[in-house]
Amino acid sequence: YKILPPEVDTSEAAEFIWSQVPPLHRMPVNSAIGVPATGSDVQRDENGLIHVCGYALPGYKSGPITSVEVSADEGHTWQEAHLYVGMDNKIDKSSLKWAWCLWETRVRMGRGTRARVLSRATDRGGNRQENARTEWNLRGVGYHGYGEASDLNIL
């Protein structure tokens, strides 16, 4: 994996600089929201909750993931998500040092448009995803800003 400079915005441009960029040896802890998708209509349940789920991966060799938190209020408060370990949720977590982790929760949201949900992960090494809005690069390598689903239309 290599982090390409911001001015490299096409695969063709990457070919000319690829050999000059050092490899990334350590990946940061990360999470992503899979549901709801950015720009989607989201139905609340009878309690005003929406379903949010995604995945997380630990940083370098600091796994496994120990927690994922989700915020529906721009990061002012966080709610812990349920982590899934293996297909039957019965795998010894210590064997998942390098593994991705699935997670889900329900968060309360009022009706409205342009709503946003955030996620952040923490691994066994104490590495927590921070909203240090990492600059995006052509391949997205090394990005570790909060997971995000934005422009949601909450029904």
Side-chain angles (χ1 to χ4, degrees):
Y1 292 109
K2 294 184 176 194
I3 297 177
L4 299 171
E7 64 271 10
V8 176
D9 58 0
T10 65
S11 297
E12 293 78 24
E15 286 180 38
F16 296 105
I17 195 166
W18 191 259
S19 64
Q20 301 169 27
V21 178
L24 180 65
H25 293 286
R26 296 175 184 228
M27 296 297 279
V29 65
N30 217 327
S31 70
I33 296 173
V35 173
T38 289
S40 64
D41 291 341
V42 183
Q43 186 66 50
R44 299 179 322 148
D45 68 13
E46 63 277 358
N47 298 312
L49 303 173
I50 68 165
H51 182 243
V52 183
C53 60
Y55 67 87
L57 58 155
Y60 187 48
K61 60 180 180 181
S62 298
I65 291 293
T66 56
S67 71
V68 173
E69 299 167 293
V70 175
S71 177
D73 62 4
E74 298 299 317
H76 296 289
T77 61
W78 295 90
Q79 173 180 315
E80 192 150 344
H82 176 78
L83 304 181
Y84 288 95
V85 183
M87 295 299 287
D88 59 6
N89 212 26
K90 296 180 182 177
I91 296 174
D92 175 19
K93 287 184 183 181
S94 65
S95 69
L96 299 175
K97 182 177 189 172
W98 308 97
W100 292 40
C101 177
L102 298 177
W103 57 266
E104 75 173 339
T105 192
R106 293 188 179 281
V107 294
R108 185 170 311 285
M109 293 195 79
R111 285 189 169 91
T113 59
R114 302 194 48 87
R116 186 166 82 141
V117 181
L118 304 172
S119 67
R120 69 180 180 190
T122 303
D123 64 24
R124 188 191 67 202
N127 304 303
R128 186 168 75 186
Q129 192 175 357
E130 297 296 339
N131 196 22
R133 286 247 175 213
T134 309
E135 191 168 341
W136 187 256
N137 58 78
L138 177 64
R139 299 174 60 227
V141 174
Y143 184 82
H144 61 92
Y146 289 157
E148 179 180 326
S150 58
D151 293 324
L152 302 173
N153 182 27
I154 309 299
L155 305 173

